[in-house]
Each structure stands twice: as structure tokens, then as C-alpha cells.
Amino acid sequence: MTPYHCQYWAHLLTLKRAGGSIENLTRSISNARLDLNPHQVDAALFALRSPLSRGVILADEVGLGKTIEAGIVLAQRWAERKRRILLIVPATLRKQWQQELDQKFYLPSTILESRLFKRMQEEGQDNPFIQNDRIVICSYHFDEEVTARLRVHRDKTLESLSERERWLLGLTRSELNGEAVFEPDEPRFRYTGRPAPACAGTADRWWGTYHFDWRKAEKNGDIFYRQEHALATSTIQRALSRSLAPAVLHLDYAEYGSVVAPLIGKSGWIELSKLTIESLDVEEFLVLVGCLEENGQALDEEVCRKLLLLPAKVAGDARSVPPDFKELRERSVETRVRDVEQRNIQFFDEEVFKLDNWSDDLKQGLEREIKELDKLIREARRAAALAASLAEKLEAQKTIQSLESTRKERRKRLFDAQDDIDSRRDDLIAKVEAQLSQKRAVEPLFTVRWTMISNRKGTKAQES
């Protein structure tokens, strides 16, 4: 494959997407050693869904994998460079959580105990909880001391996962050409190229046999090759950093289906750009636009994407001037901007709905308690009036006093609850208002002129 394909795949693998998107979750899953169940995928997507959400409760039955669900969420936040993560668990489970994070998700963590906390403070660290290079695990005891649900089927997740593996495999094959020997019948290779940089440490020299399937890697004693592995990261960065001048690509139809068959023997242009949108989240999209050379007919983005999946060779520099794709590019950008805005509107509506329901439940519950106390006070006053002795009247007045004190406390809680509701509503409005000035940027990546050929005998006759 060509450097243009490698850079395209590298950008696909590293795009920043919305926190609760299947694309983002797939990246986290692809770097973990997991056999997932559908409900675990659902739970993780639910937890990551909205950037406006203040948190979720995962409450599956015992044994259904809440640790895995939480681990996926942690892995996703870690991949988003959100590194201030505190994990509070029962003291007896601290070591188990550390092992799970390390062995299944490759996430670094440290157990923060009282002695370590005090020692770090004595050494001059004001807040030992701030450790940006690892997740902090502590116990409940130590902590005391110091509705929307997104359904995504498992097959879609696995389909997306296998697609990412294909991108990474194609990129790695091309970039490590001459530095690694790939097996023809499975995603496995032996790396014999350049050693790891000195900063990676002597324990990680990169040399060895790698496998894309963690199960087979464990069985064979291979290294599990995943996007976050240092060798893969270096390979992806190599493709991303390459400056690519306009070139001519010969696309080989021989190994593809009939979707692009009408383009055999024709030529055209493709332009690839990266769109970054800053709103509630920072999101990145690849913008593909193209046209036929003979009549300037625009190509659908899906067709452009399929063209870049075809085997190809660079046939030289593009000598002719590329067409002006400004109008097509802006149209594609506006479509994505509208999609992001509509999704953010949905998130906002969901949070307002949850806030309204929570406030109604809270106020109605307190109002019911106050009405019940009013009833009890009236009954107590009647009982006091009917009391036959001074001692009984005194005891009745003490009961009334206690009930009135409780009612006063409930009324105060009702006022405080209204203040809390107003404060949360103000915070939500302020957070969304601050994001209304949506920022966008378009970065051109490369432009190629392509020609579709077919090395499969009889293809033209069969397709015509």
C-alpha cells in the first residue's frame, strides 16, 4: 500500500470522537484483553454517553461484570488524556482492582494508603491524590479519613473492532516493510527492525513476535499488538507526520466488489482533510471529497472511502492542477457541524429532563412529609386539649414541640433543595452557554489523482 493509505488509516485510528461514541469505545476495547458481553458494552456506552452528565450508577446483578464495565469507562477516559482518576473500593479489593487494570486494560495505577499518603506529604507533595501518570486507588475507610440508555448491538461493536484491526494491520505491514516478517495466514509478525528509543527503557526493545489477537498471543507466548503498544504508537506517528505532496495513484480493482466497478478505466481526484469541532467535546472527522476527471461529477464520500481501501501504487507526482473542492468540502463540513449540534441539543434536553424529574421528586417528597407532619401536629393538639391531667398535657406539648421542630427542619430542607436545584440549573445553562461559540478548523492532509485499473482477467467484460 501507499504512504497515502497509511496516513489515511493513521488518522482513522487516532481521531478524537465524542466520549460516548462507538468509535471511541472500540478504540479502548481494542487495547484490552477482554471477552465482552453485550450488556457490558451497553453499560459502558450509557456511562460515557453525555458530556453534560455528572455521573452514573452501574447496578447489575452480582457476577455480571461491573468491574469490566467500570474498567472500560476508565480506559476510555484514560485514552482521552483525562488522567486525574480516583478509584474508591473496599480495602480488600484494592489489589484485585490494580491487577485487573494492569492485566486486562494495561492501565497504570497505584494504591494510596494512609502511610504512603503521609509520607508523600512529608516529602513535600501537597496533594498525593494528584498523580497524572497513574490511576489512584484507595479504600472507603481511607476516603473517610483523609436516563437515557444507548443500545448498541455486540455485533456492531465487533465489526467496528475488526475494522480498526484491519486498518492497523495494513498500516503496520506497509510502514514496517523491511523491518518485520508477516505471516500470510494470520495477523502475526516478527519485528527485527530498529530497537526502541532509549527512553522506552531496556525492558522494552520492541524485538519479538507480535499477534493482533490477545488470546493467541497468550497461547503462543507472543506480544499482544494493539494500538497503544509503543511499537504501534511509533508506527502510527510515523505515518501521521509524513508530508505528502499531490500524487498519482493506480488503484487496483482486482480484489474488490462491484460498488466501484463503474469507475474501472476512469480517473479522478480525491482530497482528504481533517475537521476539528470544539463544542461540548472536542471531536475530529475526516472529510473526503472527490470527483471524476472527465466531467467533474462529484463522488459520494462513501465511494471515496472505498476507493482508498483498494490496493494501490504511487505512479508519480500529480502534474495537473487539482480541482477546487471548496464548495464540496464546505458542504460536508456543514453537515457534520449540524449533526454535532443536533446531538448536543439532545444531550441538553436529556439533562434538563433529568434535572426537572429529580427536582419534582425531591420537592414532592418533602412536601408530602410536611403535610403528614401538619396532620400529626393537629392530632397532637386535639389530644392535648382532651388530656385529663397536667402531666399528660405537658407530655402532649413536648410531642407537639418535637413535631414542629421536625416540620421546621423539613421546610428548611425544602428551601435548601430549591436553592440546590436552581444552582444546578444555573451550572447546566452556564456550561452549555460557554460552548455556544462553537469552534471549527479544517486541516488539509493530502490530494491524489487516481486511475482505476483491474488486473483481474475478464473483469471489464463481467462488470459491463
Side-chain angles (χ1 to χ4, degrees):
M1 301 304 285
T2 72
Y4 298 86
H5 289 73
C6 290
Q7 190 170 103
Y8 175 55
W9 290 329
H11 280 289
L12 285 172
L13 288 165
T14 57
L15 286 177
K16 296 177 182 176
R17 306 306 295 267
S21 68
I22 186 64
E23 295 86 0
N24 254 4
L25 187 63
T26 297
R27 177 175 176 178
S28 300
I29 294 172
S30 68
N31 287 297
R33 296 161 61 186
L34 296 171
D35 287 315
L36 287 174
N37 292 312
H39 73 274
Q40 293 170 328
V41 176
D42 292 337
L45 285 167
F46 171 69
L48 295 164
R49 174 170 165 70
S50 172
L52 296 174
S53 176
R54 302 179 67 175
V56 298
I57 296 176
L58 303 177
D60 283 335
E61 294 286 347
V62 174
L64 289 183
K66 293 184 294 297
T67 302
I68 297 299
E69 295 166 4
I72 295 171
V73 175
L74 293 176
Q76 179 56 44
R77 294 307 187 209
W78 191 265
E80 294 169 7
R81 311 297 295 177
K82 295 174 181 176
R83 298 298 167 84
R84 295 183 64 174
I85 298 175
L86 175 63
L87 189 58
I88 305 173
V89 300
T92 55
L93 297 180
R94 290 175 298 181
K95 192 65 180 178
Q96 177 183 331
W97 267 94
Q98 187 177 42
Q99 292 173 346
E100 291 280 308
L101 293 177
D102 176 50
Q103 296 172 6
K104 287 187 169 63
F105 298 95
Y106 299 96
L107 294 176
S109 64
T110 185
I111 297 175
L112 192 58
E113 301 171 329
S114 299
R115 284 184 301 172
L116 177 59
F117 182 88
K118 293 173 182 176
R119 190 178 77 227
M120 293 174 73
Q121 283 191 318
E122 290 170 357
E123 293 173 352
Q125 189 166 340
D126 293 335
N127 188 355
F129 281 104
I130 300 178
Q131 300 191 35
N132 293 327
D133 61 340
R134 59 194 61 239
I135 294 171
V136 176
I137 303 174
C138 71
S139 68
Y140 296 128
H141 179 62
F142 179 82
D143 185 50
E144 291 172 358
E145 287 182 348
V146 190
T147 300
R149 176 177 171 91
L150 178 62
R151 293 292 306 172
V152 177
H153 296 297
R154 183 170 183 260
D155 55 354
K156 181 177 179 181
T157 305
L158 295 177
E159 177 186 343
S160 180
L161 177 59
S162 62
E163 186 176 44
R164 295 185 69 88
E165 289 174 337
R166 289 195 297 271
W167 295 338
L168 184 58
L169 177 58
L171 168 66
T172 304
R173 278 183 182 275
S174 184
E175 291 291 337
L176 298 186
N177 186 26
E179 300 179 62
V181 178
F182 288 81
E183 296 190 8
D185 52 352
E186 62 178 320
R188 187 172 185 244
F189 66 93
R190 180 166 185 78
Y191 181 74
T192 57
R194 294 172 295 178
C199 61
T202 56
D204 181 11
R205 304 306 296 175
W206 291 357
W207 295 316
T209 302
Y210 294 81
H211 207 297
F212 283 69
D213 187 327
W214 67 266
R215 302 169 194 80
K216 292 186 178 180
E218 284 190 353
K219 181 179 179 181
N220 299 335
D222 297 340
I223 302 166
F224 174 35
Y225 190 70
R226 59 199 187 280
Q227 185 174 338
E228 300 301 327
H229 187 276
L231 176 58
T233 301
S234 173
T235 303
I236 291 170
Q237 190 55 44
R238 187 193 308 183
L240 288 173
S241 61
R242 188 177 290 121
S243 179
L244 298 173
V248 176
L249 299 186
H250 285 174
L251 307 178
D252 186 2
Y253 174 78
E255 299 179 8
Y256 213 71
S258 60
V259 177
V260 293
L263 301 179
I264 294 176
K266 296 184 178 181
S267 299
W269 291 85
I270 289 178
E271 176 194 88
L272 179 67
S273 305
K274 183 167 75 172
L275 167 66
T276 303
I277 301 176
E278 294 185 39
S279 56
L280 297 180
D281 269 332
V282 177
E283 298 182 65
E284 295 174 340
F285 303 87
L286 292 184
V287 179
L288 274 168
V289 293
C291 69
L292 293 177
E293 192 170 48
E294 58 185 4
N295 55 14
Q297 177 186 341
L299 296 176
D300 182 83
E301 183 170 355
E302 182 65 14
V303 173
C304 294
R305 189 184 72 83
K306 291 185 181 300
L307 287 174
L308 284 181
L309 294 177
L310 292 173
K313 292 182 180 179
V314 177
D317 296 334
R319 300 182 182 276
S320 53
V321 179
D324 185 0
F325 285 117
K326 181 179 180 181
E327 183 179 346
L328 287 176
R329 186 191 320 117
E330 289 181 350
R331 194 185 308 164
S332 181
V333 167
E334 288 302 323
T335 298
R336 283 175 170 78
V337 169
R338 283 195 303 272
D339 290 343
V340 169
E341 186 172 359
Q342 287 300 314
R343 193 191 65 239
N344 288 342
I345 289 173
Q346 182 182 353
F347 288 154
F348 180 73
D349 288 342
E350 289 171 358
E351 292 305 309
V352 169
F353 179 75
K354 288 193 289 185
L355 182 59
D356 287 343
N357 283 347
W358 171 73
S359 64
D360 289 344
D361 289 345
L362 184 60
K363 288 188 292 186
Q364 289 171 9
L366 290 172
E367 287 169 353
R368 280 195 300 270
E369 290 183 29
I370 292 171
K371 287 180 179 179
E372 182 63 26
L373 287 168
D374 288 339
K375 179 182 176 182
L376 292 175
I377 290 171
R378 287 193 299 271
E379 292 174 352
R381 284 173 178 168
R382 285 195 295 268
L386 298 174
S389 67
L390 183 61
E392 289 176 349
K393 287 184 179 291
L394 180 62
E395 189 64 30
Q397 288 300 321
K398 287 182 179 180
T399 301
I400 293 171
Q401 185 182 40
S402 175
L403 290 170
E404 287 179 338
S405 176
T406 302
R407 182 177 63 179
K408 182 179 178 180
E409 186 269 335
R410 293 294 190 275
R411 284 173 174 169
K412 183 179 181 301
R413 281 177 57 187
L414 180 60
F415 291 131
D416 291 343
Q418 186 59 58
D419 291 340
D420 188 23
I421 292 165
D422 293 341
S423 175
R424 293 197 183 193
R425 194 180 302 278
D426 291 343
D427 289 345
L428 178 61
I429 292 172
K431 186 173 182 179
V432 174
E433 191 174 31
Q435 302 295 341
L436 287 179
S437 55
Q438 190 183 76
K439 298 178 183 177
R440 68 178 85 168
V442 179
E443 176 191 358
L445 298 177
F446 62 74
T447 303
V448 293
R449 179 182 178 274
W450 55 269
T451 297
M452 176 82 78
I453 61 175
S454 177
N455 292 325
R456 189 170 66 186
K457 188 175 180 180
T459 297
K460 291 184 179 180
Q462 293 169 11
E463 303 292 352
S464 58

